[in-house]
Amino acid sequence: MKIIACIKQVPDSEAKVKAENGQVSWGDAPLVINPFDEYAVEGALQQKETTNGTVTALCIGPESAKDALKHALAMGADEAVLVSDSALDGLDTLGAARVLAAAIQKIGGADMVVFGRQTLDNGAGLTPAQTARVLGWPMLGLAGQIKVDGGNVTVERVIEEGRQTVSAKLPAVLSVVQSIGEPRYPSFMGIRKASKAAIPVWTLADLGVAAPTALVTRAELMNPPSRETKVEIITGESPAEIADKLADKILAEKVL
Amino acid sequence: MDFALSPEHQMVQKMVRDFAQKEIAPVIKEHDRKQEPIPTALKRMGELGILGICIPVRYGGQGMDYLTLGLACEELEAVDTSLRVAMSVHAGLCSLNLFQWGTEEQKERLLVPLASGEKLGCGAFTEPGMGSDVAAMTTTAKRDGDFYILNGEKMWISLATKADLAMVTVKTNPSARKASEGLSAFIVDLHSEGVKTGDIHGKLGVRAGSTGWISFTDVKVPVANRIGEEGEGFKITMSGFDHGRYTVASGATGIIRASLEASVSYAKTRKTFGKPIAEHQLIQEKIAKMAQDYEIARLLYYQVGWLKNQGKRSTRETSYAKKFATEASFNAANEAIQIHGAYGFSDEYDVERYLRNSKGAVIYEGSSEIQSLIQAGYALGERTDKPLRCELPAYDESVWQS
Ligand SMILES: Cc1cc2nc3c(=O)[nH]c(=O)nc-3n(C[C@H](O)[C@H](O)[C@H](O)COP(=O)(O)OP(=O)(O)OC[C@H]3O[C@@H](n4cnc5c(N)ncnc54)[C@H](O)[C@@H]3O)c2cc1C
Ligand SMILES: Cc1cc2nc3c(=O)[nH]c(=O)nc-3n(C[C@H](O)[C@H](O)[C@H](O)COP(=O)(O)OP(=O)(O)OC[C@H]3O[C@@H](n4cnc5c(N)ncnc54)[C@H](O)[C@@H]3O)c2cc1C
């Protein structure tokens, strides 16, 4: 079975992200593979193992995003493809879906495309479904477990009301959640392979698609309002006195 | 000259860091308090290939270079010393030394299970009556046909009760002209009849690590398990220390880093006299010293990794790295406690564990005093490295990975 895992590179979860001159900035925090996409790679690798298949990691991003792809290779992916083009700067999720779909077609022969549930930075969570729509393939979202049987894929979804099992014909698009299993660490063999891998970079021209026009544009980016907090330590002779003072304060501030 | 780590090195650092952070950091305090090893730690290190990191693939290892071993040790000890100690004895004293001195047959039979993590190894030299003076050991081995019969006791042995195989140095010729020429080294299967092991409790540090004793009563060891020739035991033991000390040095570098990181983050948030303590110059001095020591310790062990990769002897440089990093780690942990004030004195924070853990390394694998003697010997021209019958081979990617 041929599996494609779509991954994005995002600022590390410990980065302090803020809006600066209308742009998102994360300072010099390192960029890493989107943590949810590590689960996508894990899910893809599990299927590779049970079906004796292959995994190709696919990413739209700048040259630096090769590091995220190398992480996927080190985990055990067989190949990686980066789509990079200066015309992709103002990409929205539908645009990303169109470009991903074109790349999936160019890679060719995929039986299953696995996504993360959402990204850590933009976090729309829309790209998987939109990609499925562009491809015209069924979409099984938020899968916790994946089973492939013949030409069908069945996934277990944990939803608020309980557990749901859904299935679809392959090829299909999936997005996965954490219950797929903890992402494996890169192996040493994988690390060596990844560090030597030449990752092809495809432009929009290579994909034969025009730069998608963004349907959604970012009108404004703002930092959350900074909140003024004041700490006051209430003291007193006895616990009873402190409690009285505290109760008065709470009433005066109309907290209760 | 190139100080840059390759992408491969960086990926290994991240992988080992993630493992230690995710699987060890959350549970280490509890195990350290109970003086119990984390049961899964060594197994996981084996599964992930860390235990055989720089042994060639054809001997069951992962085929990385010698510098990678140091990088992994730094990451491991930045979380807890017990993990790095396992590397020092399993990978350093036992596997690498076997790789250096073993015959092809011995490597295939004994190194493969060690490097693949299927079996655990340790190094047993110290005895109840001797440590620094290796030639003064009293455990004996007498030849009896195809076997040697071992008798005696080894003490303060890391992984004594966990290891399957031990690199053991004993006296085979009590009447040798020089005591150091009467020693021989063996790989002893610790599941053999006549071997007893036990743990030592009440240690100041490395409480989640296993340290113990091994006693030998008429233990039959096949001649095929003798490493090197009879009488080469002293040289082999010293080679083992070259490898072990390198892991100790790189590991101690991790303690300096951990102490520095803990101090920086605490100093930025703790306020006294109206400002974060990081703004007091006396605190800054401590932090600056840790940062500088981290850099020095790192460069010293990188140098050793590089020398090993080149196939050059590094006894002297390893001694510098080991003495500097272990002493600096003790100082860094001590100052980290000072910066944390009373909280640093409590096991709520990690820094007190760093201090307790760092002290052992100033003693074991050649105490600081012994390192000074080695260094003075080189400086005064009284000590030179004579070529060994078996040198550690230079790292060659194509050989290691085929
Ligand atoms: C209005 C608007 C303007 C934007 N402008 C910019 C911009 O100027 N520059 C910029 O860098 N980003 C920009 N973004 C973000 C970028 O468009 C998104 O990263 C991309 O569309 C995916 O959306 P998301 O991050 O919300 O992914 P989600 O829909 O949350 O992602 C779900 C899953 O889709 C997959 N996926 C997502 N992104 C990629 C990718 N790039 N490659 C491979 N797989 C992927 C992953 O599996 C991921 O887990 C903008 C977003 C919006 C909404
Ligand atoms: C946690 C831990 C783990 C250990 N693991 C192992 C292991 O896996 N395998 C193993 O074989 N051993 C191990 N050891 C033992 C360790 O290697 C010895 O403790 C060390 O070699 C010192 O020997 P000693 O304790 O007998 O001290 P001694 O040799 O008795 O020395 C006592 C003191 O005298 C100093 N001294 C000795 N000779 C001189 C001199 N000529 N000039 C000046 N000062 C001198 C020493 O530096 C020390 O300060 C371990 C020890 C500890 C604490």
Side-chain angles (χ1 to χ4, degrees):
Chain A
M1 197 167 67
K2 186 156 183 179
I3 308 156
I4 296 176
C6 291
I7 64 162
K8 188 184 178 187
Q9 192 186 43
V10 298
D12 189 82
S13 59
E14 288 185 7
K16 292 205 172 63
V17 179
K18 52 178 191 264
E20 252 174 29
N21 312 323
Q23 295 288 324
V24 185
S25 157
W26 51 86
D28 54 6
L31 293 165
V32 297
I33 180 173
N34 175 36
F36 292 110
D37 297 347
E38 282 191 70
Y39 291 95
V41 177
E42 175 60 34
L45 291 173
Q46 288 172 7
Q47 292 316 303
K48 164 186 161 155
E49 280 155 8
T50 50
T51 66
N52 202 8
T54 62
V55 173
T56 304
L58 171 62
C59 175
I60 309 172
E63 188 72 18
S64 69
K66 278 186 177 171
D67 286 345
L69 287 169
K70 283 185 176 171
H71 186 83
L73 287 171
M75 284 174 74
D78 302 273
E79 281 169 38
V81 175
L82 178 69
V83 178
S84 203
D85 197 312
S86 53
L88 292 172
D89 277 355
L91 201 65
D92 62 3
T93 57
L94 182 57
R98 292 216 160 101
V99 174
L100 288 173
I104 290 162
Q105 300 287 18
K106 183 169 159 75
I107 291 167
D111 300 291
M112 184 191 286
V113 182
V114 189
F115 284 79
R117 68 179 299 168
Q118 65 182 122
T119 57
L120 205 66
D121 54 354
N122 194 59
L126 298 171
T127 314
Q130 288 172 318
T131 307
R133 180 76 174 84
V134 176
L135 289 166
W137 294 358
M139 160 81 201
L140 304 178
L142 309 181
Q145 263 173 46
I146 309 169
K147 223 188 239 136
V148 172
D149 192 3
N152 286 300
V153 54
T154 304
V155 308
E156 215 178 84
R157 309 175 71 222
V158 179
I159 52 176
E160 244 171 58
E161 293 78 9
R163 214 176 277 260
Q164 194 183 57
T165 308
V166 287
S167 58
K169 271 202 165 27
L170 292 172
V173 172
L174 276 65
S175 74
V176 300
V177 294
Q178 281 95 318
S179 47
I180 200 81
E182 274 304 300
R184 63 198 65 191
Y185 301 103
S187 70
F188 288 103
M189 221 217 283
I191 286 173
R192 283 208 303 271
K193 204 183 69 187
S195 68
K196 290 189 190 79
I199 296 175
V201 182
W202 293 348
T203 60
L204 288 179
D206 293 328
L207 294 178
V209 292
T213 21
L215 300 179
V216 183
T217 51
R218 266 188 201 142
E220 199 179 4
L221 271 170
M222 282 177 300
N223 289 309
S226 61
R227 259 191 283 171
E228 285 289 323
T229 52
K230 214 171 70 191
V231 178
E232 194 182 329
I233 310 260
I234 294 169
T235 55
E237 290 294 315
S238 64
E241 189 192 328
I242 297 171
D244 278 344
K245 279 195 195 168
L246 179 62
D248 288 347
K249 280 264 176 212
I250 289 172
L251 292 173
E253 296 283 336
K254 300 197 173 70
V255 179
L256 286 176
Chain B
M1 189 169 300
D2 185 358
F3 286 98
L5 295 177
S6 70
E8 216 168 278
H9 290 136
Q10 291 173 31
M11 277 194 262
V12 172
Q13 278 181 315
K14 180 170 172 355
M15 182 276 239
V16 180
R17 186 180 310 152
D18 285 350
F19 156 70
Q21 286 294 346
K22 277 191 205 153
E23 300 188 23
I24 307 299
V27 295
I28 184 61
K29 273 195 195 124
E30 179 194 336
H31 287 268
D32 190 76
R33 263 186 208 149
K34 289 196 297 196
Q35 303 193 41
E36 275 172 11
I38 299 169
T40 53
L42 294 174
K43 187 167 160 279
R44 291 290 290 141
M45 283 166 69
E47 287 166 358
L48 295 172
I50 300 173
L51 291 176
I53 194 163
C54 62
I55 301 290
V57 171
R58 76 194 141 103
Y59 296 130
Q62 299 295 334
M64 310 304 284
D65 68 1
Y66 298 111
L67 180 57
T68 314
L69 170 64
L71 297 172
C73 287
E74 178 183 331
E75 295 306 329
L76 293 172
E77 193 156 5
V79 172
D80 195 63
T81 302
S82 56
L83 305 178
R84 193 273 306 151
V85 168
M87 293 301 283
S88 294
V89 302
H90 172 93
L93 297 179
C94 196
S95 307
L96 267 182
N97 217 15
L98 183 54
F99 175 54
Q100 178 174 352
W101 289 90
T103 61
E104 190 56 34
E105 183 277 327
Q106 286 172 332
K107 287 182 211 178
E108 273 161 27
R109 181 166 53 90
L110 300 167
L111 184 54
V112 171
L114 287 168
S116 63
E118 183 199 319
K119 287 193 174 164
L120 271 180
C122 69
F125 315 110
T126 308
E127 297 179 357
M130 79 81 200
S132 305
D133 186 4
V134 172
M137 61 176 58
T138 59
T139 301
T140 57
K142 283 204 178 74
R143 178 92 185 232
D144 180 10
D146 289 340
F147 292 90
Y148 283 87
I149 309 298
L150 263 64
N151 278 290
E153 186 175 342
K154 296 288 178 183
M155 178 83 175
W156 290 108
I157 308 307
S158 307
L159 303 189
T161 58
K162 305 281 177 277
D164 304 289
L165 300 174
M167 175 76 78
V168 185
T169 306
V170 299
K171 192 153 275 183
T172 40
N173 181 5
S175 52
R177 193 171 47 85
K178 276 170 70 185
S180 60
E181 287 167 2
L183 306 184
S184 303
F186 296 87
I187 291 284
V188 179
D189 183 341
L190 294 180
H191 307 295
S192 313
E193 204 175 317
V195 175
K196 277 204 196 118
T197 63
D199 282 316
I200 298 171
H201 287 290
K203 285 177 297 177
L204 173 69
V206 208
R207 290 181 159 214
S210 129
T211 317
W213 50 268
I214 306 176
S215 77
F216 305 98
T217 311
D218 294 330
V219 177
K220 275 174 84 172
V221 179
V223 171
N225 279 22
R226 191 190 66 218
I227 308 303
E229 304 294 334
E230 244 189 55
E232 276 187 329
F234 188 81
K235 285 183 188 146
I236 294 171
T237 309
M238 294 304 133
S239 292
F241 285 146
D242 276 357
H243 312 318
R245 282 171 192 161
Y246 168 53
T247 63
V248 173
S250 46
T253 307
I255 296 193
I256 307 175
R257 188 181 91 201
S259 300
L260 173 65
E261 282 170 2
S263 298
V264 166
S265 105
Y266 191 80
K268 280 185 175 170
T269 50
R270 181 71 176 181
K271 287 189 180 146
T272 68
F273 303 98
K275 55 185 180 185
I277 60 171
E279 288 175 24
H280 299 309
Q281 289 189 344
L282 290 175
I283 299 294
Q284 290 180 357
E285 188 198 23
K286 295 180 198 300
I287 288 176
K289 173 98 172 97
M290 285 181 215
Q292 177 187 278
D293 283 356
Y294 174 57
E295 198 66 11
I296 300 171
R298 211 160 55 87
L299 291 172
L300 283 171
Y301 93 71
Y302 282 12
Q303 170 172 254
V304 176
W306 180 84
L307 284 166
K308 279 177 140 40
N309 280 345
Q310 304 295 312
K312 297 201 165 94
R313 264 291 270 290
S314 58
T315 307
R316 183 179 48 168
E317 292 78 4
T318 305
S319 174
Y320 294 148
K322 193 269 181 187
K323 180 168 191 283
F324 181 83
T326 55
E327 291 178 354
S329 70
F330 181 74
N331 293 334
N334 191 26
E335 292 291 33
I337 293 179
Q338 195 68 15
I339 288 171
H340 282 70
Y343 293 99
F345 197 64
S346 138
D347 70 0
E348 288 282 300
Y349 283 82
D350 291 309
V351 287
E352 64 83 36
R353 193 176 79 253
Y354 300 159
L355 182 75
R356 290 188 289 101
N357 282 353
S358 67
K359 183 62 194 175
V362 185
I363 299 169
Y364 54 67
E365 299 243 14
S367 64
S368 272
E369 289 77 11
I370 295 300
Q371 302 307 328
S372 291
L373 295 179
I374 293 173
Q375 292 163 19
Y378 281 112
L380 293 167
E382 287 161 7
R383 187 184 170 118
T384 46
D385 295 328
K386 293 178 201 76
L388 295 169
R389 189 174 60 77
C390 302
E391 300 280 4
L392 184 73
Y395 179 72
D396 178 339
E397 190 176 317
S398 61
V399 174
W400 256 245
Q401 297 176 7
S402 61

